[in-house]
């Protein structure tokens, strides 16, 4: 069966393109495989400089100027790359205390981050402090479950964005953690927290059905998993309670994973969940390969982690 | 098109990666100013002070409480014409030792890396009693000032004073703390309800820096403010 589909591929591929009314860029029938690279960070916490040589745990690791070199090399290899951050950009070194997050946003903009979600520590100078730094950010802020309509952040944050790379639609939406009890009310003011599972269910439906996305990514600051309280909403809970999400990029719990987790959604399909620790020590890299429709094998998508 | 394959991994940001000079030159002026400030000598520590040295009160804790009392009261008094009666902080909030030698701005960032601010809460005598009970149960060297608390050998309160006087049930006391504790941190639940609360919008770390600038050599001591009689 596999052999058969493989042989049919070249002719049928062209037929499909003409019939299906694919987007302009997809009309290049010679392109058999497309590769989308997703790069990600989380909980960088103002770690602009690398750790010093005397640091007990992370000596000489991290540093924005080194991450920039790596990101550029990956982009040169594959221009169809998105760079995303899962929140807690702020707080952790005096760079934040002194400059309020200005340098963090400037460097992320220069590195061409495409989008970030908002972590609890991004409210550490209050919602006004976050708002004040927005002119330094040229990337998008995505959060679907924080309702900012009664705050200064109104209209500055979108629930999701659809990026188009090589004719493929990549839908990215953001989710934030419950702020009450974690952040002072004076800091987050009238920011309303909405149920992440309900919102994620809506988002994935909109991105799949209305926006017709080829790839759906959730940028989450919910935390990977709470072992003492496993029912508390987390990335693993989110993965199994929803459908149509391909990748959850997490943060908050500063979880170092030996490799990305392959979880199952509520339809039994695979969802990749990843988080890369904290402080800019690691960069996550997920490559998605797309083939023309009838090149698809009976096994579906293979995952190599 | 259909998704056929996913490959995922993480890449360590190691020192084998070249430093991007464009990025580094953007960072450089920020870094220079920061390092200058961090290295500014503010005061001097004749000894090394750790929160582990002492049973129910420590020299570093007494220093922190004194800083909040003095620097906090300066602002509180200007705004309200009232005075702080007592200070309560948390032992866990002291995040680093103060090493013997020069005290710099960086010292203040090490001891107090968080953005917590001073809050003054107006509490009735009854709630001050609850606070004393809390302290007797906690058996920890939570930094205090303006409070004298003596426990017997069973950790029962034998004497509890505010400003050297017994607590009067209906009197209003002004207790300075930080916003973390005021909001229920370390299970300190006696701050609410209260008569009123004053947010000084004054970070503990800034109070430390202001205090160190005024004091040539710090000299905190363990004393008898919170003790247990054997
Ligand atoms: Zn974090």
């Amino acid at each position: 069966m596999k052999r058969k589909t493989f042989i049919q591929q070249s002719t049928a591929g062209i037929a499909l393109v003409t019939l299906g009314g694919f987007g302009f860029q997809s009309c290049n029938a010679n392109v058999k495989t497309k590769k989308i690279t997703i790069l990600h960070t989380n909980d960088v916490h103002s770690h602009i400089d690398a750790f010093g040589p005397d640091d007990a745990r992370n000596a000489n690791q991290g540093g924005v100027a080194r991450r920039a070199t790596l990101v550029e090399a990956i982009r040169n290899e594959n221009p169809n790359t998105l760079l995303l951050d899962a929140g807690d950009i702020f707080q952790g070194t005096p760079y934040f205390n002194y400059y309020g997050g200005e340098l963090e946003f400037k460097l992320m903009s220069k590195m061409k981050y495409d989008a970030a979600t908002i972590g609890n520590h991004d409210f550490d100078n209050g919602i006004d402090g976050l708002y004040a730094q927005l002119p330094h950010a040229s990337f998008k802020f995505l959060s679907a479950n924080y309702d900012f309509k009664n705050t200064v952040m109104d209209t500055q944050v979108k629930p999701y964005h659809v990026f188009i790379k090589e004719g493929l639609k990549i839908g990215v939406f953001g989710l934030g953690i419950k702020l009450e009890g974690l952040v002072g009310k004076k800091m987050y003011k009238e920011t309303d927290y909405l149920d992440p599972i309900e919102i994620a269910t809506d988002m994935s439906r909109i991105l799949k059905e209305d926006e017709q996305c080829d790839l759906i990514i959730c940028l989450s600051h919910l935390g990977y998993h709470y072992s003492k309280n496993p029912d508390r909403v987390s990335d693993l809970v989110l993965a199994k309670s929803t459908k149509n999400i391909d990748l959850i990029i997490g943060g908050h719990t500063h979880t170092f994973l030996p490799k990305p987790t392959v979880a199952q959604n509520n339809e039994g399909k695979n969802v990749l969940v990843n988080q890369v620790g904290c402080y800019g020590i690691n960069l996550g890299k997920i490559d998605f390969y797309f083939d023309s429709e009838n090149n698809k094998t009976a096994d579906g998508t293979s995952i190599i982690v | 098109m259909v998704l056929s394959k996913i490959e995922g991994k993480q890449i360590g940001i190691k020192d084998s990666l070249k430093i991007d000079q464009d990025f580094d030159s953007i960072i450089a002026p920020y870094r220079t100013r920061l390092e200058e400030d961090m290295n500014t000598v503010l005061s001097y520590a004749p000894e090394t002070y750790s929160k582990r040295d002492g049973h129910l009160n420590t020299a570093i804790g007494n220093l922190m409480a004194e800083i909040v009392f003095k620097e906090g009261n300066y602002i509180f008094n200007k705004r309200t014409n009232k005075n702080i009666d007592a200070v309560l902080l948390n032992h866990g909030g002291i995040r680093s030792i103060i090493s013997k030698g020069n005290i710099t701005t960086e010292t203040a960032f090490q001891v107090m890396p968080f953005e917590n601010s001073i809050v003054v809460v107006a509490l009735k005598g009854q709630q001050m009693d609850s606070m004393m009970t809390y302290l007797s149960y906690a058996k920890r060297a939570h930094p205090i000032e303006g409070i004298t608390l003596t426990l017997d050998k069973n950790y029962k309160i034998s004497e509890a004073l505010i400003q050297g006087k017994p607590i009067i049930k209906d009197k209003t006391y002004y207790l300075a703390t930080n916003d973390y504790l005021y909001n229920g941190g370390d299970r300190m639940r006696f701050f609410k309800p209260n008569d009123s609360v004053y947010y000084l919008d004054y970070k503990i770390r800034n109070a430390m820096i202001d205090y160190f600038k005024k004091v040539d050599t710090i000299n905190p001591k363990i004393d008898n403010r919170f003790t247990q009689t054997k």
Side-chain angles (χ1 to χ4, degrees), chain B:
Chain B
M1 305 225 46
V2 292
L3 188 54
S4 58
K5 187 173 76 171
I6 306 171
E7 266 177 328
K9 61 173 176 177
Q10 69 179 17
I11 308 168
I13 308 298
K14 307 278 183 202
D15 56 356
S16 52
L17 283 162
K18 203 165 100 286
I19 286 172
D20 184 305
Q21 291 307 323
D22 279 1
F23 278 78
D24 203 57
S25 62
I26 294 173
I27 300 165
Y30 291 85
R31 184 190 291 133
T32 307
R33 201 195 119 197
L34 197 75
E35 282 175 354
E36 275 170 18
D37 265 29
M38 284 296 135
N39 297 334
T40 304
V41 176
L42 306 175
S43 185
Y44 182 80
E47 284 172 55
T48 294
Y49 303 97
S50 163
K51 67 174 175 183
R52 299 190 207 296
D53 299 336
H55 177 214
L56 294 174
N57 76 93
T58 67
I60 192 170
N62 295 346
L63 173 70
M64 292 301 292
E66 185 191 346
I67 289 169
V68 169
F69 191 84
K70 280 197 176 153
E71 303 302 320
N73 196 54
Y74 178 72
I75 290 178
F76 182 64
N77 181 267
K78 266 208 304 198
R79 284 198 202 153
T80 65
N81 254 323
K82 299 174 177 46
N83 287 302
I84 293 171
D85 294 297
V87 174
L88 171 65
L89 301 171
N90 59 323
H91 187 244
I94 302 168
R95 307 301 289 187
S96 160
I97 59 166
I98 294 177
S99 299
K100 180 178 176 170
N102 288 332
I103 293 174
T104 62
T105 309
E106 195 171 20
T107 314
F109 274 86
Q110 288 165 341
V111 175
M112 186 59 216
F114 309 126
E115 301 304 295
N116 296 111
S117 298
I118 303 174
V119 173
V120 181
V121 196
L123 294 176
K124 283 282 189 284
Q126 228 164 350
Q127 282 160 289
M128 296 302 272
D129 278 335
S130 307
M131 177 191 75
M132 298 292 189
T133 307
Y134 171 93
L135 287 170
S136 73
Y137 283 144
K139 305 181 184 77
R140 284 186 81 180
H142 289 309
I144 53 172
E145 170 96 19
I147 294 167
T148 314
L149 183 61
T150 313
L151 307 180
D152 67 16
K153 63 179 194 312
N154 300 315
Y155 289 94
K156 289 270 175 317
I157 296 174
S158 50
E159 190 177 44
L161 308 172
I162 304 284
Q163 291 295 329
K165 292 179 191 135
I167 296 166
I168 300 163
K169 209 177 150 194
D170 293 326
K171 188 181 155 140
T172 299
Y173 294 91
Y174 295 95
L175 178 67
T177 185
N178 67 48
D179 47 1
Y180 167 75
L181 298 176
Y182 176 69
N183 289 313
D186 272 10
R187 300 197 181 134
M188 295 191 187
R189 300 201 180 102
F190 39 79
F191 294 117
K192 292 168 189 170
N194 53 59
D195 290 0
S196 43
V197 55
Y198 304 85
Y199 293 93
L200 301 193
D201 284 319
Y202 188 25
K203 287 179 186 173
I204 303 241
R205 186 174 51 245
N206 289 336
M208 292 174 74
I209 291 169
D210 291 342
Y211 177 92
F212 290 145
K213 280 180 183 166
K214 290 175 202 158
V215 176
D216 177 76
T217 302
I218 62 165
N219 188 27
K221 296 268 186 255
I222 295 174
D223 57 22
N224 60 0
R225 68 186 70 190
F226 188 13
T227 53
Q228 184 187 23
T229 48
K230 299 282 172 187

Side-chain angles (χ1 to χ4, degrees), chain A residues 15 25 85 107 118 132 137 141 195 217 223 232 239 255 279 299:
Chain A
Q25 289 174 67
D85 185 272
L107 295 169
I118 298 169
F141 286 94
D195 182 81
I217 298 171
R232 179 173 166 193
T255 306
Y279 309 150
D299 312 332

Side-chain angles (χ1 to χ4, degrees), chain A residues 42-45 87-88 90 120-121 221 251-254 278-279:
Chain A
N42 60 275
D43 299 274
V44 178
H45 284 294
D88 276 7
F90 289 173
N120 47 302
H121 280 291
H221 200 77
H252 187 63
T253 41
H254 298 196
C278 53
Y279 309 150

Side-chain angles (χ1 to χ4, degrees), chain A residues 49 69 97 99 102 287 304, chain B residues 6-7 18 30-31 115:
Chain A
D49 292 324
T69 301
N97 308 107
Y99 309 114
E102 171 188 325
D287 293 315
I304 305 160
Chain B
I6 306 171
E7 266 177 328
K18 203 165 100 286
Y30 291 85
R31 184 190 291 133
E115 301 304 295

Side-chain angles (χ1 to χ4, degrees), chain A residues 1 18-19 28 40 72 84 88 98 104-105 112 121 125 138 180 212-213 221 226 234 244 251 271 275-276:
Chain A
M1 275 305 284
T18 16
L19 288 172
N28 184 354
H40 62 93
E72 201 190 347
L84 306 171
D88 276 7
Y98 267 66
E104 289 84 332
F105 281 1
K112 300 194 202 74
H121 280 291
N125 275 347
S138 62
E180 192 195 333
Q212 298 275 305
C213 286
H221 200 77
Y226 298 94
S234 65
N244 291 324
V271 191
Q275 188 176 151
V276 291

Side-chain angles (χ1 to χ4, degrees), chain A residues 1-298:
Chain A
M1 275 305 284
K2 271 187 201 170
R3 168 103 188 126
K4 203 173 165 190
T5 42
F6 181 69
I7 293 165
Q8 284 174 349
Q9 173 220 313
S10 57
T11 43
I14 295 162
L16 242 184
V17 168
T18 16
L19 288 172
F22 273 57
F24 173 73
Q25 289 174 67
S26 310
C27 285
N28 184 354
N30 295 325
V31 179
K32 301 261 159 48
T33 304
K34 293 178 181 179
K35 177 183 171 186
I36 303 291
T37 297
I38 306 296
L39 300 180
H40 62 93
T41 51
N42 60 275
D43 299 274
V44 178
H45 284 294
S46 304
H47 281 260
I48 308 270
D49 292 324
F51 282 91
D54 300 325
D55 190 85
R57 254 199 204 169
N58 306 309
N60 302 314
Q61 296 187 63
V64 173
R66 289 199 181 109
R67 193 194 324 149
T69 301
L70 178 62
V71 168
E72 201 190 347
I74 294 169
R75 278 219 183 88
N76 286 340
E77 196 188 294
N78 182 14
N80 298 310
T81 292
L82 285 181
L83 177 56
L84 306 171
D85 185 272
D88 276 7
I89 295 165
F90 289 173
Q91 186 73 270
T93 72
Y95 279 105
F96 175 67
N97 308 107
Y98 267 66
Y99 309 114
E102 171 188 325
L103 187 57
E104 289 84 332
F105 281 1
K106 274 187 179 170
L107 295 169
M108 287 173 74
S109 302
K110 185 172 166 61
M111 215 186 289
K112 300 194 202 74
Y113 268 81
D114 294 284
T117 196
I118 298 169
N120 47 302
H121 280 291
D122 298 319
F123 292 92
D124 277 7
N125 275 347
I127 192 163
D128 300 294
L130 175 59
Y131 178 76
Q133 299 305 332
L134 292 182
H136 301 295
S138 62
F139 51 92
K140 291 179 172 60
F141 286 94
L142 303 177
S143 181
N145 71 324
Y146 287 160
D147 182 352
F148 287 113
K149 74 172 184 294
N150 295 320
T151 75
V152 286
M153 291 294 283
D154 185 33
T155 75
Q156 305 290 333
V157 180
K158 291 183 13 172
Y160 70 87
H161 185 79
V162 178
F163 296 92
I164 299 176
K165 294 275 174 189
E166 246 203 309
L168 291 169
K169 290 176 137 188
I170 305 150
V172 183
F173 70 98
L175 288 179
I177 195 165
K178 187 176 184 177
L179 296 170
E180 192 195 333
L182 198 59
V183 179
K185 170 80 175 158
K186 277 186 70 196
M187 296 301 199
Y188 65 84
K189 292 190 170 168
E190 299 306 315
T191 306
D192 249 347
Y193 167 83
L194 310 174
D195 182 81
I197 304 290
E198 279 175 29
I199 294 292
T201 305
D202 281 355
M203 282 295 123
S204 50
R205 183 186 48 77
I206 290 168
L207 291 171
K208 190 77 190 175
E209 291 170 16
D210 303 348
E211 301 281 0
Q212 298 275 305
C213 286
D214 299 283
L215 196 61
I216 298 176
I217 298 171
C218 174
L219 265 184
S220 152
H221 200 77
L222 296 174
Y224 178 71
H225 174 59
Y226 298 94
S227 52
K228 285 182 194 155
N229 189 359
D231 294 332
R232 179 173 166 193
V233 65
S234 65
D235 293 340
L236 293 189
V237 170
L238 178 72
K240 71 174 181 200
S241 316
T242 54
K243 61 181 179 183
N244 291 324
I245 299 173
D246 297 289
L247 170 65
I248 298 171
I249 296 171
H252 187 63
T253 41
H254 298 196
T255 306
F256 288 86
L257 293 171
K259 58 183 188 175
T261 304
V262 183
Q264 271 72 48
N265 71 12
N266 66 8
E267 292 181 314
K269 292 181 184 159
N270 291 331
V271 191
L272 216 55
V273 181
N274 202 23
Q275 188 176 151
V276 291
C278 53
Y279 309 150
I281 288 169
N282 296 302
L283 180 72
K285 180 174 184 277
I286 315 283
D287 293 315
F288 291 91
Y289 294 85
F290 290 84
D291 277 351
S292 45
E293 196 78 44
N294 46 343
N295 200 20
K296 190 184 181 183
T297 65

